[in-house]
Amino acid sequence: DIQMTQSPSSLSASVGDRVTITCRASQDIRNDLGWYQQKPGKAPKRLIYVASSLQSGVPSRFSGSGSGTEFTLTISSLQPEDFATYYCLQHNTYPYTFGQGTKLEIK
Amino acid sequence: EVQLVESGGGLVQPGGSLRLSCAASGFTFSNYAMHWVRQAPGRGLEFVSAISNNGVSTYHTNSVKGRFTISRDNSKNTLYLQMGSLRAEDMAVYYCTRGGYRGSYDYWGQGTLVTVSS
């Protein structure tokens, strides 16, 4: 199985900060990677697909980059509604695998 | 509007069975692969099972092989997950998801909770 190593596992930041979350794949997954935001009690919501394409309706402060084995999600200027848990997902090979998650908390 | 609505969750004893359903609407169901993803309480997301658009190909994660079966009825726009020999570690919220462009999950249901306890 492809392992997705996501870091950090938690992050404290302030409104207006720029934050970066990283996912590393244990083997080449091309750009078959998505980023998801999940708030408590809710289903995940896709932010980024195929590594760098912004999901329709998602604010442009979210961006993704990378290919192969290294990927990043960047939030350019944190807003109050961005405090949530973020996951990466590789959809290159079954079984699809998620990163462990990054809980983004208010400092 | 794409909608995925899961049902069938509930309390079941260890060793018991349960069938989850996911009713799809707002898109041509038979054009898309569909998946089940679960999330144990306080834990991360885990792929469970996948089925191709025509139902011919299926995939299950190792921990559920031989116990869970994914299926679909394209005439009813419904996805299923038959779960058997349930264990405490199967307790989770189960989400139905659509495999969109290159397989990425673009839509999710609201989830249904499966509780395994005596």
Side-chain angles (χ1 to χ4, degrees):
Chain A
D1 298 1
I2 296 175
Q3 307 303 315
M4 300 301 297
T5 303
Q6 186 174 340
S7 61
S9 56
S10 64
L11 179 57
S12 247
S14 301
V15 172
D17 283 354
R18 178 185 181 91
V19 300
T20 299
I21 299 168
T22 299
C23 260
R24 178 177 292 112
S26 60
Q27 63 190 69
D28 187 345
I29 59 168
R30 303 188 304 171
N31 63 343
D32 293 328
L33 183 113
W35 289 98
Y36 295 81
Q37 178 194 66
Q38 187 179 33
K39 295 184 177 179
K42 299 293 188 183
K45 169 189 169 184
R46 191 172 71 175
L47 304 173
I48 301 288
Y49 62 101
V50 291
S52 59
S53 294
L54 188 67
Q55 176 71 31
S56 175
V58 171
S60 60
R61 62 181 179 272
F62 292 93
S63 64
S65 65
S67 68
T69 61
E70 296 276 341
F71 302 88
T72 59
L73 172 71
T74 299
I75 310 172
S76 60
S77 178
L78 275 174
Q79 298 303 300
E81 60 268 30
D82 299 337
F83 292 94
T85 301
Y86 293 83
Y87 294 93
C88 62
L89 164 71
Q90 73 80 16
H91 53 92
N92 178 267
T93 303
Y94 285 131
Y96 290 3
T97 43
F98 292 88
Q100 304 94 316
T102 295
K103 187 172 184 179
L104 182 51
E105 299 175 308
I106 301 173
K107 185 184 286 185
Chain B
E1 178 195 6
V2 172
Q3 284 200 315
L4 300 171
V5 179
E6 301 95 337
S7 61
L11 174 63
V12 60
Q13 292 186 340
S17 299
L18 211 55
R19 188 177 84 156
L20 306 183
S21 299
C22 171
S25 60
F27 65 102
T28 304
F29 183 68
S30 59
N31 284 353
Y32 291 86
M34 298 294 296
H35 295 230
W36 289 98
V37 172
R38 68 185 178 184
Q39 187 169 36
R43 305 294 297 273
L45 299 163
E46 180 189 23
F47 166 89
V48 176
S49 303
I51 187 166
S52 60
N53 66 311
N54 58 11
V56 169
S57 298
T58 62
Y59 189 94
H60 298 279
T61 197
N62 284 340
S63 63
V64 309
K65 277 180 186 173
R67 302 189 298 121
F68 291 11
T69 302
I70 189 172
S71 62
R72 63 192 296 161
D73 185 336
N74 284 348
S75 69
K76 295 182 178 178
N77 291 344
T78 302
L79 175 71
Y80 302 101
L81 185 67
Q82 180 68 48
M83 304 187 295
S85 302
L86 282 161
R87 306 167 180 168
E89 55 265 36
D90 296 318
M91 186 162 64
V93 173
Y94 284 73
Y95 294 102
C96 161
T97 69
R98 189 179 85 165
Y101 177 63
R102 297 221 331 239
S104 177
Y105 298 151
D106 52 3
Y107 290 95
W108 298 64
Q110 84 287 353
T112 188
L113 177 63
V114 173
T115 302
V116 183
S117 175
S118 54

